[in-house]
Amino acid sequence: MLERLEELERQALTELEGITDEAGLNAWRVKYLGRSAELGVILAGLRELSKEDRPAVGRRANEVKLNLESTLQTRVEALRVAALERSLQEERLDVSLPGRKPILGRIHPANQTLRQIYNIWAEMGFQIYLSREVETDDFNFGLLNMPEHHPARDMWDTFHTTATGVLLRTHTSPGQIHVMRERAPEPIRVILPGMCYRYEQSSTRAEIQFNQVEGLAVGHHITFADLKGTLNAFARRMFGEHVRTRFRAAHFPFTEPSAEMDIECFICEGKGCSVCRRSGWLEILGCGMVHPIVLRNGGYDPTVFTGFAFGMGPERITMLKHGIDDIRYFWGNDLRFLEQF
Ligand code: PHE
């Protein structure tokens, strides 16, 4: 029995030396120190031994048990230290490495143009007024001199909501009525920027959503000359001191007379190219003198007050400035496009 204990001890210790991981240690513990391990069986069976053998075997068996337990403890400790050492080696930080550059977001190209437009109009004394994107039929059309069934409504393909008479604004012009009703009879100089929506087949030139910047001036002696002078001043600041402009007669139900403003094509300087479709001119906004009916709907007496209004599309202006040939890039969220600005 004593020899068996020696043998067992030697075998256990040799095996323990070769173990390098936690799972191995656990298996070893079960094998040699567990309840049904041979050593345990010997200890449990001590009382069956003869009186002479019992003390010596008992003492030796307990020694072996203590020795195995303490050697195991030492081994566990050693493995823990080794593991720590290894992780310190492997995960060492080189604090002298240059850092990675954080990726910086940037201002969306449409917003860059919007901010430029705001600055120019702010310098000319125009306040920014925000107006709602969900409108009533009345504000989007009726109060702008387009009663129900007016054929001009066809110029604006409309997203209707499930509530009768409630729609997504097709242009920023309904904001004119909101400002006038809020300010009458004070003079007005505001711009109204914001998103507009049209029920359109999207294409390179048309999107179902886009920004507009509306402008409105109402006062006592405002004339068409003021309209032209102000818009010319804007064009010079937006497109350069030497830009040439022209006004073409147009028609909008809410302005009379109405016009569209072109700027000379800055790509070909008026010679004619693909961007200006060989015309030498680029259309950038619609404008006109506020229609008397619209003034009245806003709470201003048209025999006393006059005003001008205009509406421009910042995406279109951005496209012209940067030679972008498809308006759908603006809301496509393609980083390859956005990162160029
Ligand atoms: N609301 C017009 C459009 O969307 C633009 C416009 C605004 C024209 C103000 C004249 C005056 O086409």
Side-chain angles (χ1 to χ4, degrees):
M1 187 64 88
L2 285 172
E3 270 133 60
R4 180 64 197 133
L5 281 171
E6 301 303 323
E7 169 69 26
L8 202 57
E9 185 176 34
R10 213 172 323 110
Q11 183 192 340
L13 292 177
T14 325
E15 221 171 279
L16 184 58
E17 256 169 64
I19 295 174
T20 53
D21 62 351
E22 206 177 322
L25 288 180
N26 283 334
W28 185 90
R29 191 201 314 273
V30 172
K31 183 169 172 193
Y32 292 103
L33 294 169
R35 225 181 269 283
S36 47
E38 192 176 344
L39 186 58
V41 173
I42 292 174
L43 280 164
L46 277 181
R47 90 192 61 186
E48 269 122 69
L49 292 181
S50 64
K51 269 203 168 86
E52 306 82 76
D53 286 346
R54 203 185 298 161
V57 173
R59 192 178 333 109
R60 192 69 193 107
N62 272 312
E63 273 172 19
V64 171
K65 184 170 181 232
L66 288 175
N67 186 20
L68 291 190
E69 278 171 354
S70 77
T71 313
L72 172 65
Q73 211 40 54
T74 317
R75 190 85 189 116
V76 166
E77 202 48 47
L79 276 183
R80 203 192 338 265
V81 170
L84 182 63
E85 205 94 294
R86 198 170 343 106
S87 87
L88 282 176
Q89 279 298 329
E90 284 169 3
E91 292 157 29
R92 183 149 75 207
L93 285 180
D94 180 352
V95 289
S96 69
L97 269 179
R100 285 189 201 100
K101 254 199 180 164
I103 299 168
L104 274 190
R106 53 198 88 201
I107 299 169
H108 191 282
N111 285 337
Q112 290 185 24
T113 306
L114 274 169
R115 289 186 182 192
Q116 223 178 328
I117 293 173
Y118 297 163
N119 284 338
I120 295 170
W121 288 108
E123 279 173 15
M124 295 201 269
F126 284 69
Q127 290 179 305
I128 297 184
Y129 188 104
L130 293 179
S131 175
R132 63 196 65 166
E133 292 181 16
V134 178
E135 270 297 358
T136 60
D137 183 278
D138 221 23
F139 274 87
N140 199 79
F141 294 118
L143 294 166
L144 292 173
N145 198 26
M146 283 177 277
E148 249 175 272
H149 308 301
H150 193 290
R153 287 182 174 217
D154 284 355
M155 287 164 70
W156 295 275
D157 298 307
T158 309
F159 280 115
H160 297 274
T161 69
T162 46
T164 1
V166 179
L167 44 78
L168 299 186
R169 68 175 174 195
T170 59
H171 52 176
T172 42
S173 300
Q176 291 186 28
I177 305 286
H178 289 294
V179 194
M180 285 194 273
R181 290 192 169 175
E182 205 176 292
R183 301 277 175 92
E186 299 295 323
I188 295 174
R189 252 190 289 172
V190 293
I191 56 168
L192 300 124
M195 203 52 97
C196 302
Y197 304 87
R198 287 190 197 168
Y199 184 47
E200 235 156 333
Q201 174 74 53
S202 68
S203 69
T204 54
R205 298 168 63 85
E207 251 288 26
I208 59 169
Q209 67 173 82
F210 55 90
N211 282 291
Q212 271 195 349
V213 178
E214 188 87 5
L216 175 68
V218 177
H220 284 285
H221 303 289
I222 294 179
T223 65
F224 198 84
D226 294 318
L227 164 68
K228 287 178 75 175
T230 312
L231 287 175
N232 278 334
F234 167 79
R236 281 198 297 277
R237 293 185 201 201
M238 190 76 203
F239 299 101
E241 203 47 47
H242 302 292
V243 75
R244 297 209 305 153
T245 59
R246 75 175 182 190
F247 289 78
R248 270 180 300 103
H251 177 261
F252 300 101
F254 34 89
T255 46
E256 179 59 34
S258 304
E260 277 168 345
M261 183 170 97
D262 296 341
I263 57 166
E264 192 174 52
C265 180
F266 41 75
I267 309 276
C268 61
E269 292 173 336
K271 288 184 200 74
C273 66
S274 62
V275 173
C276 60
R277 298 176 154 190
R278 316 263 149 232
S279 70
W281 295 93
L282 301 166
E283 180 200 321
I284 62 156
L285 57 83
C287 59
M289 299 305 290
V290 182
H291 196 287
I293 290 178
V294 175
L295 280 173
R296 179 166 294 123
N297 288 339
Y300 287 84
D301 180 350
T303 63
V304 181
F305 287 91
T306 55
F308 67 73
F310 58 84
M312 61 179 86
E315 285 87 351
R316 188 170 148 68
I317 291 175
T318 313
M319 288 171 78
L320 295 174
K321 278 192 117 163
H322 296 287
I324 300 164
D325 56 12
D326 192 330
I327 196 168
R328 291 170 294 193
Y329 285 128
F330 282 92
W331 318 117
N333 281 338
D334 186 335
L335 285 180
R336 291 170 301 180
F337 170 72
L338 297 174
E339 280 175 347
Q340 292 178 51
F341 299 90

